[in-house]
Amino acid sequence: MPRRRMFRRTPPTTPTLPAVVTSKTAWLGLAAALLLVAVMLSVPGSGEDRGCAGARVTGWRAAEGMNAELTRYGNDNARLDDWTGGDGTRTVRLPDGRTLWLSADTFLDEVYGGKSRKPNPVWVRNSGLVMSAEGRFQRTLLGGSESQPTAFFPGTATGDGREAWRWPVQGVVEPRSPGSKEKVVRVLLWQREAGSPPWIFGVPRASEVATLSLPDLKVENIETIYEPQHTDVERRVLYGTSAITEGGWTYVFGADEGSVSGKPSRAHVARAPEGRLADKDAWEYWGGAGRSTEGKASAGAKGLGWQRDPAKSVPILVGETDQRGATGTYTVVRRGDTWLLMTMDAGGSGLTDVVSYWSCTPTGPWHGPTKVAVPPLPPGGKEAGAVPYNPQAHAEFDTSSGELLMSYDVNVMNNSSVIHQDVAYYRPRFLRLVTSPAKGK
């Protein structure tokens, strides 16, 4: 770079203003600065704590009614092309009062004596279940035909012929386009491809959004939102483990694959304007609030806040250290003015405990962990090697007293035949949670 010549220059004379004028100017500048800070702290996603009430779980009980209804439907052999077991449980309430339940790997076929399946039952990569407004499961949504059922959200294949499939995660109802009176269901999907250990549950491939028509729940199209390119597969982020519409935006939570190797996953959050969840160009990714050397928020730093480039997304710290936090399938729900996050306790007391964190904004800071529950297993589950995972909140089913419905999945990882000997070992179970203000704890 060429060196600039330096010239000495006499500064112009500045007229002296009356003291009252300079005092008033300084006061107005200070007031404007304080107003700007206040506005920033009041906007969801500003990365600052607005002093909300917080939320924590103070008690729980088994949701026997929901457990019984799912058992009734799963064991009903009136049809043999419907759901008898699955995981990945999420729900979305439809405008007519029905509820769409979303399930990942799903077993079909007959259940013998309300207990077992044949050793090699028919299964598909995903399905949907429709529940009536009265709370009764009615039918299973699949592709294909009754004699040859396929996944509701069809899979594909990689260039070298390996399977690539879709697992549905959270769904929301939103306008077909901003301002439209017509509603559709948007379902977030994780596309994964077959891989070798430790990637027995697939290598992350893409985050997608499917559009379902209403009221008939037909899959209209599937749009790719983001394809992670990180060379370290553990750091590839998929979005959709939870999604909440608030203040004209749909906030979509995601995570990387850190929990595959026994570490916490790094949580991330993105957002899209309501009505544009299927438009990848409308998505924004949280790039961080910034911190000065003193640990204070630095809102004016470049490259921070909401970013259009997904590569600029930074993790939202869940837990006080990188060694303790969320798994890749955590859940987020609103309780009053607070965002409540629940997850298996990755890096903490073990993957047998559900813990919670709370925040005043979707981007944190997150306070916790606080113990929620040790989810009970089906009878004989511990001896069979069953484990709980994927806790998910279902705010659509709040009771009149404000109890929150939470599901958790059950599986036996080291012996797949066991889940056919007893169908309860591969079905979600339900708890009713009592939540209270955290009062700064």
Side-chain angles (χ1 to χ4, degrees), residues 187-211:
V187 177
L188 291 136
L189 305 172
W190 289 344
Q191 189 184 131
R192 308 180 82 93
E193 64 183 54
S196 55
W199 305 104
I200 58 174
F201 298 112
V203 176
R205 185 179 172 94
S207 297
E208 302 173 313
V209 173
T211 297

Side-chain angles (χ1 to χ4, degrees), residues 213-243:
S213 58
L214 284 170
D216 54 355
L217 298 173
K218 300 294 186 183
V219 179
E220 294 184 345
N221 54 60
I222 297 175
E223 300 291 340
T224 299
I225 299 299
Y226 171 56
E227 297 176 279
Q229 302 296 320
H230 206 297
T231 54
D232 182 354
V233 180
E234 283 192 8
R235 294 308 177 208
R236 293 183 185 175
V237 178
L238 293 180
Y239 290 91
T241 188
S242 205

Side-chain angles (χ1 to χ4, degrees), residues 97-122:
R98 295 176 300 162
T99 303
L100 172 62
W101 293 71
L102 297 163
S103 187
D105 289 347
T106 301
F107 287 105
L108 310 174
D109 266 350
E110 187 174 359
V111 174
Y112 302 110
K115 180 74 173 179
S116 62
R117 305 182 191 91
K118 62 184 181 182
N120 296 298
V122 174

Side-chain angles (χ1 to χ4, degrees), residues 408-423:
Y408 58 97
D409 295 327
V410 174
N411 200 350
V412 179
M413 305 296 185
N414 58 1
N415 188 350
S416 59
S417 65
V418 174
I419 65 176
H420 303 317
Q421 295 167 14
D422 190 330
V423 294

